Amino acid sequence: MRSINKLSGGALIAAIAYATYGGGAALAADGARTPIGGPIKFFVTTFSNGTGDIIVTGAIGSYGTSAASGNDLKVTLQHGAFELNVATLVAKASKSGPSLNTVTCSGVSSVSAPAPVLNGSGAYRGLSGKLKVTETIAFILPHYASGAHKNECNNNTRPLDDYSSITGSGTVKFAYK
């Protein structure tokens, strides 16, 4: 406990959480340090170019990057990579438009769909499971300053500001040979 006294802020919270909850992944019954799987949650802060930073908690405790590629979301973590097939999410998102408040020109769109886990490599070779994935987008559009559409929302230009994230949860299973 002496070393925790030297920590502060986020490092202290992380150390306490690790000590309290045991840290690490769900383990095999024989006590070996080989993960067998379990529930996970992930959080992606997305960028306009389709990439993002990701944190995965639970049976996989790691961080890294994500990159959208067609119907797949490639997740690259510290000890390997895997993909999520987000075809159903992409299809739902393309069919649903955002809800727009025409007075404030603010909008939001949120869709959820199942996403199978595919193509694990490194520590995640043989990883399987299906996660529920949610994509959320929020934005503020400018108003037309003049002309025939004065004070209406200008959806023909870039938003003044926007936010997007992808989150998900479910259970994964590790497969080792």
Side-chain angles (χ1 to χ4, degrees):
M1 199 56 133
R2 180 176 296 188
S3 63
I4 289 181
N5 291 334
K6 295 179 184 177
L7 299 175
S8 64
L12 178 59
I13 292 168
I16 291 170
Y18 185 87
T20 303
Y21 297 107
L27 304 178
D30 66 2
R33 297 296 298 172
T34 304
I36 59 171
I40 67 167
K41 292 186 179 190
F42 70 90
F43 308 87
V44 180
T45 302
T46 57
F47 305 112
S48 61
N49 65 357
T51 64
D53 293 330
I54 185 169
I55 294 175
V56 184
T57 65
I60 299 174
S62 192
Y63 63 95
T65 59
S66 67
S69 176
N71 289 325
D72 294 322
L73 181 69
K74 181 164 180 138
V75 175
T76 305
L77 302 173
Q78 299 303 297
H79 302 288
F82 59 90
E83 294 177 9
L84 296 174
N85 181 316
V86 292
T88 305
L89 183 74
V90 170
K92 282 179 102 174
S94 69
K95 291 179 183 175
S96 70
S99 61
L100 179 66
N101 181 310
T102 57
V103 174
T104 63
C105 294
S106 60
V108 67
S109 174
S110 185
V111 293
S112 297
V117 178
L118 309 167
N119 302 325
S121 64
Y124 312 112
R125 191 171 96 207
L127 187 69
S128 62
K130 188 179 278 191
L131 308 177
K132 180 180 179 187
V133 177
T134 301
E135 178 183 45
T136 303
I137 299 168
F139 56 89
I140 305 291
L141 295 173
H143 288 88
Y144 284 101
S146 61
H149 299 287
K150 184 177 180 178
N151 295 326
E152 292 179 14
C153 302
N154 182 351
N155 60 358
N156 293 318
T157 188
R158 294 180 54 96
L160 297 171
D161 203 359
D162 59 18
Y163 163 87
S164 68
S165 70
I166 300 172
T167 59
S169 63
T171 302
V172 296
K173 182 177 181 183
F174 292 88
Y176 293 98
K177 295 181 181 182

